[in-house]
Amino acid sequence: MKDCIFCKIAAGEIPSDKVFEDEYVYAFRDLNPQAPEHILIIPKQHISRVEDVTDEDRGLMGRLVVAAKHIAAEAGLKKGYRLVFNNGPDAGQEVEHIHLHLMGGRRFSWPAG
Ligand code: 5GP
Ligand code: ZN
């Protein structure tokens, strides 16, 4: 999508610190990390938020989680990690291209703030 920063990152038009890529998924380090490991995992296809996910996207959304598993294993996050979709303004979604946060390397509290 035109003017979407994460579409541009996935297309290589804006530089990023890539950690994983395949035909459908792109993952890169968050610019403002909130944990020792903080990676954003996105579909290359533009989807703004969870409300826009369709039945046809079920496989694609699963790919984000499978990518997270591989990235976490690669990063040696044996003690666990947090996976988060911030969805909509109340959840603090700033970028309107759906993204899965993978955070690890420290302990996280619950409930989330
Ligand atoms: P949200 O608040 O939408 O769930 O998360 C957006 C995340 O994207 C934030 O953690 C922010 O630091 C990160 N971010 C925003 N713009 C860029 C960028 O241009 N490059 C990278 N690597 N991360 C970004
Ligand atoms: Zn996009």
Side-chain angles (χ1 to χ4, degrees), residues 1 4 6-7 46 97:
M1 183 190 249
C4 170
F6 283 3
C7 279
H46 182 87
H97 178 129

Side-chain angles (χ1 to χ4, degrees), residues 6-109:
F6 283 3
C7 279
K8 287 182 177 166
I9 285 175
E13 292 166 15
I14 291 178
S16 67
D17 190 355
K18 179 173 82 173
V19 296
F20 176 86
E21 181 177 16
D22 67 15
E23 192 180 344
Y24 304 98
V25 174
Y26 191 88
F28 55 104
R29 295 193 181 281
D30 197 294
L31 208 56
N32 183 23
Q34 301 301 312
E37 298 284 353
H38 188 170
I39 290 147
L40 302 172
I41 306 168
I42 65 172
K44 289 187 172 178
Q45 169 192 330
H46 182 87
I47 298 173
S48 293
R49 54 166 77 178
V50 171
E51 286 77 5
D52 298 320
V53 175
T54 67
D55 282 353
E56 284 184 357
D57 300 323
R58 283 183 293 191
L60 178 60
M61 296 307 290
R63 285 177 182 275
L64 302 184
V65 176
V66 175
K69 177 183 80 169
H70 290 308
I71 293 164
E74 188 78 15
L77 298 175
K78 293 195 175 73
K79 285 160 67 182
Y81 47 90
R82 184 159 283 181
L83 297 176
V84 176
F85 288 105
N86 290 324
N87 191 61
D90 268 5
Q93 183 178 4
E94 288 173 359
V95 179
E96 287 277 333
H97 178 129
I98 201 164
H99 47 282
L100 180 59
H101 291 259
L102 188 168
M103 289 179 284
R106 68 168 172 88
R107 278 197 76 100
F108 297 93
S109 59

